[in-house]
Amino acid sequence: MPNDATVQQAAADLFRAPHALNAALAALPTTAGLYAWWAPPEVLAPFHGPADSGDGGRRLLYLGKAKRLRSRIASNHLRDSGRSTLRRTLAGLLIDTQGYRTTWTDRVVLVPEDEQRLTDWMHRNLALTWSEHPDPVPLETALISRLRPPLNVDGARDGTTLDRVRQARAAYYASAGPRPATGENDSGSGGGRSGIA
């Protein structure tokens, strides 16, 4: 478990004024660390994360870890719903209002044009902070417990928020319909649910 000073430093980094995503992509390091996603209160209004001390008009929605911050954000969270829990959650929350469509590959993914539409939505509505650290896994656990970001299942503050996140993820998977038969034994795939945070 990281010491309190390490946790406080990481929290301080994450609570700096968030970067717009274009600026974040240019500045993100290639090292390991943590990242935090922020939104104004009117975006996904039912989800009440802590406010950012550097920008009171934003609140924390989701926190994650990465071995390589830049590639995790650019290649997963801003591109591929099959490899991003955040994207799947957002797509599920927005599926009724945005009309996102999903399909099966080896897992459930958004159709290509809707992957781009979700990325565009994220650029319009979300911002990012990060903290470099060589061993982000225990820090992520400590910070989720402390900060309770509402889109992290482990961070949901109350049963209603947790239910909304779980329902959104279920809606995302259900929208693709039954898994097509492949003729092969595909048990153990878990419907393509990725363990990547």
Side-chain angles (χ1 to χ4, degrees):
M1 185 59 100
N3 63 47
D4 198 54
T6 302
V7 174
Q8 287 182 4
Q9 181 57 59
D13 291 344
L14 295 174
F15 273 75
R16 291 188 176 134
H19 294 75
L21 296 189
N22 283 338
L25 289 171
L28 275 163
T30 57
T31 52
L34 302 160
Y35 53 86
W37 291 88
W38 301 85
E42 65 274 12
V43 173
L44 302 176
F47 296 93
H48 306 289
D52 178 24
S53 56
D55 181 351
R58 296 190 189 269
R59 71 200 190 292
L60 178 64
L61 287 180
Y62 185 85
L63 192 148
K65 63 185 178 300
K67 292 179 182 176
R68 290 173 296 282
L69 285 161
R70 183 180 298 171
S71 63
R72 179 72 178 130
I73 301 303
S75 299
N76 293 48
H77 286 314
L78 290 174
R79 184 175 296 168
D80 186 351
S81 58
R83 297 190 297 164
S84 168
T85 302
L86 174 65
R87 280 180 80 83
R88 292 191 294 273
T89 303
L90 291 172
L93 290 169
L94 299 166
I95 205 161
D96 290 336
T97 58
Q98 299 295 319
Y100 293 136
R101 296 155 297 156
T102 57
T103 188
W104 279 97
T105 57
D106 61 329
R107 61 191 71 198
V108 176
V109 297
L110 290 170
V111 300
E113 54 266 41
D114 288 348
E115 290 280 19
Q116 184 58 54
R117 287 204 302 129
L118 177 56
T119 298
D120 293 344
W121 183 94
M122 293 171 75
H123 274 273
R124 288 192 308 272
N125 293 287
L126 304 183
L128 192 72
T129 58
W130 59 89
S131 176
E132 294 181 72
H133 195 276
D135 185 18
V137 175
L139 266 178
E140 179 196 39
T141 301
L143 285 167
I144 287 174
S145 176
R146 180 179 292 194
L147 301 174
R148 312 295 262 173
L151 297 189
N152 290 86
V153 168
D154 293 337
R157 289 184 181 275
D158 59 60
T160 301
T161 300
L162 181 59
D163 287 346
R164 284 180 176 144
V165 171
R166 287 180 171 159
Q167 288 165 6
R169 293 182 184 180
Y172 171 85
Y173 285 102
S175 67
R179 185 182 186 116
T182 62
E184 300 174 12
N185 182 358
D186 56 9
S187 63
S189 66
R193 295 173 196 247
S194 170
I196 299 173

